Short mmCIF file of all heavy atoms in Angstrom, two decimals:
data_model
loop_
_atom_site.label_atom_id
_atom_site.label_comp_id
_atom_site.label_asym_id
_atom_site.label_seq_id
_atom_site.Cartn_x
_atom_site.Cartn_y
_atom_site.Cartn_z
N ALA A 1 3.03 -5.94 11.72
CA ALA A 1 3.83 -6.95 11.03
C ALA A 1 4.33 -6.47 9.68
O ALA A 1 5.23 -7.07 9.09
CB ALA A 1 3.01 -8.24 10.85
N LEU A 2 3.76 -5.40 9.16
CA LEU A 2 4.12 -4.89 7.84
C LEU A 2 5.24 -3.86 7.88
O LEU A 2 5.79 -3.48 6.85
CB LEU A 2 2.90 -4.25 7.17
CG LEU A 2 1.73 -5.19 6.88
CD1 LEU A 2 0.52 -4.36 6.44
CD2 LEU A 2 2.10 -6.21 5.82
N ALA A 3 5.58 -3.40 9.06
CA ALA A 3 6.58 -2.33 9.19
C ALA A 3 7.97 -2.84 8.82
O ALA A 3 8.29 -4.02 8.97
CB ALA A 3 6.59 -1.80 10.61
N ASN A 4 8.79 -1.95 8.29
CA ASN A 4 10.21 -2.26 8.07
C ASN A 4 11.04 -1.05 8.50
O ASN A 4 10.51 -0.11 9.09
CB ASN A 4 10.47 -2.66 6.61
CG ASN A 4 10.09 -1.56 5.63
OD1 ASN A 4 10.12 -0.37 5.95
ND2 ASN A 4 9.74 -1.97 4.42
N LYS A 5 12.32 -1.08 8.19
CA LYS A 5 13.20 -0.02 8.67
C LYS A 5 12.83 1.36 8.12
O LYS A 5 13.09 2.38 8.74
CB LYS A 5 14.65 -0.34 8.29
CG LYS A 5 15.21 -1.57 9.00
CD LYS A 5 16.64 -1.85 8.56
CE LYS A 5 17.20 -3.08 9.26
NZ LYS A 5 18.60 -3.39 8.81
N SER A 6 12.20 1.37 6.96
CA SER A 6 11.93 2.65 6.29
C SER A 6 10.48 3.09 6.33
O SER A 6 10.18 4.27 6.12
CB SER A 6 12.37 2.57 4.82
OG SER A 6 13.73 2.22 4.73
N PHE A 7 9.57 2.14 6.63
CA PHE A 7 8.15 2.46 6.52
C PHE A 7 7.37 1.96 7.74
O PHE A 7 7.59 0.84 8.22
CB PHE A 7 7.54 1.82 5.26
CG PHE A 7 8.10 2.37 3.99
CD1 PHE A 7 9.23 1.81 3.41
CD2 PHE A 7 7.50 3.46 3.36
CE1 PHE A 7 9.74 2.31 2.22
CE2 PHE A 7 8.01 3.96 2.18
CZ PHE A 7 9.13 3.39 1.61
N ASP A 8 6.47 2.80 8.21
CA ASP A 8 5.55 2.43 9.28
C ASP A 8 4.53 1.43 8.73
O ASP A 8 4.13 1.50 7.56
CB ASP A 8 4.85 3.69 9.79
CG ASP A 8 3.77 3.37 10.79
OD1 ASP A 8 4.10 3.08 11.94
OD2 ASP A 8 2.58 3.39 10.39
N GLY A 9 4.08 0.49 9.57
CA GLY A 9 3.16 -0.54 9.12
C GLY A 9 1.86 0.00 8.57
O GLY A 9 1.34 -0.49 7.55
N ALA A 10 1.32 1.03 9.21
CA ALA A 10 0.07 1.62 8.73
C ALA A 10 0.26 2.26 7.36
O ALA A 10 -0.62 2.22 6.50
CB ALA A 10 -0.43 2.65 9.74
N GLU A 11 1.44 2.84 7.13
CA GLU A 11 1.74 3.45 5.85
C GLU A 11 1.83 2.38 4.76
O GLU A 11 1.35 2.58 3.63
CB GLU A 11 3.07 4.21 5.94
CG GLU A 11 3.45 4.97 4.68
CD GLU A 11 4.78 5.68 4.82
OE1 GLU A 11 5.42 5.57 5.89
OE2 GLU A 11 5.19 6.33 3.84
N VAL A 12 2.44 1.25 5.09
CA VAL A 12 2.54 0.15 4.14
C VAL A 12 1.14 -0.37 3.79
O VAL A 12 0.81 -0.60 2.62
CB VAL A 12 3.41 -0.99 4.69
CG1 VAL A 12 3.38 -2.20 3.74
CG2 VAL A 12 4.84 -0.53 4.90
N ALA A 13 0.30 -0.56 4.81
CA ALA A 13 -1.06 -1.06 4.59
C ALA A 13 -1.84 -0.13 3.67
O ALA A 13 -2.53 -0.57 2.75
CB ALA A 13 -1.78 -1.23 5.92
N GLN A 14 -1.73 1.18 3.94
CA GLN A 14 -2.44 2.15 3.10
C GLN A 14 -1.91 2.12 1.66
O GLN A 14 -2.67 2.23 0.70
CB GLN A 14 -2.29 3.55 3.68
CG GLN A 14 -3.10 4.61 2.95
CD GLN A 14 -4.60 4.34 2.96
OE1 GLN A 14 -5.13 3.77 3.91
NE2 GLN A 14 -5.29 4.75 1.90
N GLY A 15 -0.61 1.94 1.52
CA GLY A 15 -0.02 1.85 0.19
C GLY A 15 -0.52 0.63 -0.57
O GLY A 15 -0.75 0.70 -1.79
N ILE A 16 -0.71 -0.49 0.12
CA ILE A 16 -1.24 -1.71 -0.51
C ILE A 16 -2.66 -1.47 -1.00
O ILE A 16 -3.03 -1.84 -2.12
CB ILE A 16 -1.17 -2.89 0.47
CG1 ILE A 16 0.29 -3.33 0.66
CG2 ILE A 16 -2.03 -4.06 0.00
CD1 ILE A 16 0.50 -4.39 1.73
N ILE A 17 -3.47 -0.83 -0.17
CA ILE A 17 -4.86 -0.55 -0.53
C ILE A 17 -4.92 0.37 -1.74
O ILE A 17 -5.71 0.15 -2.68
CB ILE A 17 -5.60 0.07 0.67
CG1 ILE A 17 -5.76 -0.97 1.78
CG2 ILE A 17 -6.97 0.62 0.24
CD1 ILE A 17 -6.23 -0.41 3.10
N GLU A 18 -4.09 1.40 -1.76
CA GLU A 18 -4.09 2.34 -2.87
C GLU A 18 -3.57 1.71 -4.15
O GLU A 18 -4.05 2.00 -5.25
CB GLU A 18 -3.27 3.58 -2.49
CG GLU A 18 -3.94 4.41 -1.40
CD GLU A 18 -3.07 5.54 -0.87
OE1 GLU A 18 -1.91 5.66 -1.34
OE2 GLU A 18 -3.54 6.30 0.00
N ALA A 19 -2.59 0.81 -4.04
CA ALA A 19 -2.07 0.12 -5.22
C ALA A 19 -3.14 -0.80 -5.81
O ALA A 19 -3.29 -0.89 -7.04
CB ALA A 19 -0.83 -0.68 -4.85
N CYS A 20 -3.90 -1.47 -4.94
CA CYS A 20 -4.97 -2.36 -5.42
C CYS A 20 -6.10 -1.56 -6.05
O CYS A 20 -6.74 -2.04 -7.00
CB CYS A 20 -5.50 -3.21 -4.27
SG CYS A 20 -6.73 -4.43 -4.77
N ALA A 21 -6.32 -0.36 -5.56
CA ALA A 21 -7.41 0.47 -6.09
C ALA A 21 -7.26 0.72 -7.59
O ALA A 21 -8.25 0.74 -8.33
CB ALA A 21 -7.47 1.80 -5.34
N LEU A 22 -6.02 0.88 -8.05
CA LEU A 22 -5.81 1.09 -9.47
C LEU A 22 -6.18 -0.15 -10.28
O LEU A 22 -6.78 -0.06 -11.35
CB LEU A 22 -4.35 1.49 -9.74
CG LEU A 22 -3.98 1.74 -11.21
CD1 LEU A 22 -4.85 2.84 -11.81
CD2 LEU A 22 -2.49 2.08 -11.33
N ALA A 23 -5.86 -1.33 -9.73
CA ALA A 23 -6.20 -2.59 -10.42
C ALA A 23 -7.70 -2.80 -10.48
O ALA A 23 -8.21 -3.44 -11.40
CB ALA A 23 -5.52 -3.76 -9.73
N LEU A 24 -8.42 -2.28 -9.51
CA LEU A 24 -9.87 -2.44 -9.48
C LEU A 24 -10.56 -1.63 -10.58
O LEU A 24 -11.63 -2.02 -11.06
CB LEU A 24 -10.42 -2.03 -8.11
CG LEU A 24 -10.11 -2.98 -6.95
CD1 LEU A 24 -10.42 -2.31 -5.62
CD2 LEU A 24 -10.91 -4.28 -7.09
N ILE A 25 -9.94 -0.53 -11.01
CA ILE A 25 -10.62 0.35 -11.97
C ILE A 25 -9.96 0.40 -13.34
O ILE A 25 -10.58 0.85 -14.30
CB ILE A 25 -10.71 1.79 -11.42
CG1 ILE A 25 -9.32 2.39 -11.22
CG2 ILE A 25 -11.51 1.83 -10.12
CD1 ILE A 25 -9.33 3.87 -10.85
N ASP A 26 -8.71 -0.09 -13.45
CA ASP A 26 -7.97 0.06 -14.70
C ASP A 26 -7.50 -1.29 -15.22
O ASP A 26 -6.68 -1.96 -14.58
CB ASP A 26 -6.76 0.96 -14.46
CG ASP A 26 -5.87 1.12 -15.69
OD1 ASP A 26 -6.38 0.92 -16.81
OD2 ASP A 26 -4.68 1.41 -15.52
N PRO A 27 -7.98 -1.77 -16.38
CA PRO A 27 -7.59 -3.08 -16.89
C PRO A 27 -6.11 -3.20 -17.21
O PRO A 27 -5.55 -4.29 -17.14
CB PRO A 27 -8.45 -3.25 -18.15
CG PRO A 27 -8.87 -1.88 -18.53
CD PRO A 27 -8.98 -1.11 -17.26
#
């Protein structure tokens, strides 16, 4: 459900997880 014309869904999901990781460690 996360896929679009430019990105595979699994790639989008991994990108979301990595983006959140920064918020978890950096105020």
Side-chain angles (χ1 to χ4, degrees):
L2 297 170
N4 60 29
K5 294 179 181 179
S6 304
F7 295 89
D8 174 77
E11 184 181 1
V12 174
Q14 185 61 32
I16 289 173
I17 292 169
E18 291 172 358
C20 185
L22 180 58
L24 289 167
I25 63 172
D26 177 23

